[in-house]
Amino acid sequence: MSYVVTGGGRGIGRAVVERLLADGGPVVVVERDPDALAWLPAHPAADRLAPVVGDAADERVAGRAADLAEGFAPLAGWVNNAAVFRDALVESATAVEVWELIGLNLRPAVVGAATAVRRFLAAGTGGAVVNVSSHQARRPVPGCLPYATAKAAVEGLTRALAVEYGPRGIRCNAVALGSIVTERHLAFLAEREPAEATWIGTELARLHPVGRPGRVDEVADAVAYLLSATFVNGVTLPVDGGRAVLGLDPEAR
């Protein structure tokens, strides 16, 4: 069985790739930035890895990834992880600008899911799609309107695909992530003053009932589970340490 992971060169995506490789499957890694793929040739499982440089929202790129995956083995799973963290306020940005930002995070999921579904149907094998969402799909934070809107749409897409194609052997699920420690997160902290970085760490611990942000391998475990859980369909699984269910005490100071 082979897999495609978009945005698989760094952070969460790479952790998913590593987990799927450890489970024995060949993986095609889609990335816009060629530098994010520099680690592939020296990887111990390089013979089960294939890079695709390009935009995951481009159907030609997605098709190339599917071709490479099927060249390894029957395509079994597609992980829509690619995301862009850019936002705007509707009070200052045009509606067109806001819509374009929503599309940056929604289009890759639509293109990836559509490509996977078509290949699963053509092969007659069934398969699984996992979309990467966010706690912000249900509980947005200020300043992230396009991102939160896109992730809410990704979760709606997940449910619609599950209903439409479940009878044909195709499952679709999502993971809704809390704060996860990635290279991008660490770089963000490194740019802050020490006191501010400490405050951010304290706040993240407070917002997650487990007392800390998540690790990329913990996300990869959840994604691998949803790819293999044959009676789980249409689910958005919070992978957030309890952040989505936390009701902070309004009397707390």
Side-chain angles (χ1 to χ4, degrees), residues 16-31:
V16 172
V17 171
E18 296 283 6
R19 172 57 192 270
L20 295 177
L21 288 171
D23 289 346
V27 185
V28 177
V29 184
V30 181
E31 269 288 353

Side-chain angles (χ1 to χ4, degrees), residues 17-205:
V17 171
E18 296 283 6
R19 172 57 192 270
L20 295 177
L21 288 171
D23 289 346
V27 185
V28 177
V29 184
V30 181
E31 269 288 353
R32 294 185 66 172
D33 180 7
D35 292 342
L37 298 169
W39 55 273
L40 269 72
H43 194 280
D47 61 329
R48 292 188 285 120
L49 280 167
V52 174
V53 177
D55 186 349
D58 185 332
E59 288 192 274
R60 293 168 298 181
V61 171
R64 173 64 176 155
D67 288 342
L68 288 171
E70 290 176 332
F72 281 119
L75 180 65
W78 190 292
V79 181
N80 286 312
N81 171 68
V84 178
F85 297 93
R86 288 173 49 203
D87 277 290
L89 297 173
V90 294
E91 66 194 59
S92 53
T94 67
V96 170
E97 291 170 333
V98 173
W99 176 244
E100 287 178 349
L101 289 174
I102 293 170
L104 285 176
N105 283 296
L106 179 56
R107 277 194 301 268
V110 173
V111 168
T115 302
V117 165
R118 290 168 188 157
R119 296 303 178 104
F120 296 149
L121 292 176
T125 56
V129 175
V130 176
N131 295 321
V132 177
S133 184
S134 166
H135 66 96
Q136 293 202 52
R138 298 191 181 190
R139 300 182 70 174
V141 301
C144 296
L145 184 149
Y147 182 77
T149 302
K151 290 304 186 182
V154 165
E155 293 187 8
L157 172 70
T158 299
R159 292 188 291 271
L161 287 167
V163 170
E164 191 76 29
Y165 294 103
R168 302 174 76 176
I170 299 169
R171 297 178 301 105
C172 187
N173 295 290
V175 288
L177 307 184
S179 297
I180 308 297
V181 178
T182 62
E183 296 99 318
R184 190 177 68 87
H185 174 77
L186 294 174
F188 170 78
L189 291 180
E191 294 171 354
R192 312 272 80 77
E193 293 293 330
E196 183 183 4
T198 298
W199 176 82
I200 292 171
T202 301
E203 282 297 291
L204 288 179

Side-chain angles (χ1 to χ4, degrees), residues 134-135 139 175-181 203-215 218-219 222 237-248:
S134 166
H135 66 96
R139 300 182 70 174
V175 288
L177 307 184
S179 297
I180 308 297
V181 178
E203 282 297 291
L204 288 179
R206 184 176 71 91
L207 289 170
H208 297 80
V210 297
R212 60 172 176 83
R215 302 189 311 268
E218 292 172 318
V219 178
L237 176 66
V239 184
D240 63 359
R243 180 169 182 168
V245 297
L246 175 63
L248 294 175

